Amino acid sequence: MKRVPIVSTIVVLLAVVTMIALGVWQLQRRDGKEALLASFARNADLPVIAFPDPPVGERYLFRRATAQCASVADITRAAGRSVDGVSGYRYLADCTSETGSKYKVEMGVAADPGFMPVWRGGSVTGQMTYAPNSAPLLQRWFGGAAPDRLMLVATNPPVAGLLPSRAPDPSGVPNNHLAYAVQWFAFAGIALVIYALAVRRRMRGPGAQRS
């Protein structure tokens, strides 16, 4: 009878322990996320504050704020939707504050693809949400990326011809950590089953397959 492969067993067990640990970590994150979502829902009803400098910190998400855009470096556009549900293009201005802090302002939405707003800055009031982030998801999970930066979604577009953007909605923030935990636990279980079958086949030997 062949012996159980020691090295392979250690590798598989280490992988299973890692997957179980990741599942437990996701369950812990789930509890914290529920409390965070409750705070997001309350933020929308709090008084208007000054836009944070530097523009980071998830505790500010969905709060109303006012900012002073001293200068605009660039204006880009992406698919968006207005507060009334009109599909179009949302315009993002790269602003610099009076202290030199850089942040984005979502100016509003236009249905005309040829429209390009001209805005050189000024005072703007709106609601805070995360700015677009192109960092890979795994890098953001494990802390390798820079902190997510905040942007201001203007409630009153600073440029004529723009419609107000759809307001950031706390209910759109997913709390899928339970699903991630179940996936990690399932991966661990599948790995154990596959390895157990492989070891059983090895120990039975080729003669068992011909019998």
Side-chain angles (χ1 to χ4, degrees):
M1 182 177 292
K2 297 183 179 181
R3 294 182 299 176
V4 174
I6 302 300
V7 175
S8 299
T9 301
I10 293 174
V11 171
V12 171
L13 289 179
L14 287 175
V16 168
V17 169
T18 300
M19 288 185 279
I20 292 175
L22 288 171
V24 172
W25 175 60
Q26 288 293 342
L27 290 178
Q28 294 171 342
R29 293 193 67 194
R30 178 195 178 206
D31 295 336
K33 190 63 167 291
E34 289 177 348
L36 192 61
L37 291 176
S39 71
F40 289 165
R42 295 190 297 267
N43 279 354
D45 297 325
L46 294 178
V48 177
I49 61 172
F51 192 72
D53 186 4
V56 294
E58 64 182 5
R59 65 187 181 278
Y60 297 116
L61 284 175
F62 306 105
R63 284 206 66 168
R64 293 173 295 155
T66 182
Q68 186 68 32
C69 182
S71 62
V72 179
D74 192 20
I75 296 176
T76 57
R77 68 180 184 180
R81 191 178 295 271
S82 74
V83 68
D84 296 325
V86 177
S87 297
Y89 298 92
R90 59 176 183 158
Y91 292 87
L92 303 175
D94 292 324
C95 282
T96 301
S97 70
E98 295 174 334
T99 61
S101 179
K102 298 184 183 301
Y103 60 93
K104 288 185 181 292
V105 171
E106 184 171 329
M107 303 164 58
V109 174
D112 181 5
F115 180 79
M116 179 53 69
V118 177
W119 186 51
R120 295 181 175 82
S123 180
V124 59
T125 301
Q127 196 170 7
M128 289 182 280
T129 187
Y130 280 137
N133 190 339
S134 59
L137 184 59
L138 286 178
Q139 186 180 11
R140 294 165 63 186
W141 274 1
F142 294 103
D148 288 320
R149 297 180 68 83
L150 299 170
M151 75 174 184
L152 195 63
V153 180
T155 51
N156 295 312
V159 176
L162 291 178
L163 301 173
S165 296
R166 181 171 55 182
D169 186 1
S171 65
V173 179
N175 187 8
N176 43 17
H177 296 294
L178 178 60
Y180 291 148
V182 171
Q183 288 180 353
W184 283 118
F185 294 146
F187 292 155
I190 292 171
L192 285 175
V193 170
I194 293 175
Y195 185 67
L197 292 174
V199 170
R200 180 184 178 189
R201 181 177 181 182
R202 171 189 174 92
M203 297 183 68
R204 289 175 65 185
Q209 298 179 8
R210 295 193 297 268
S211 60

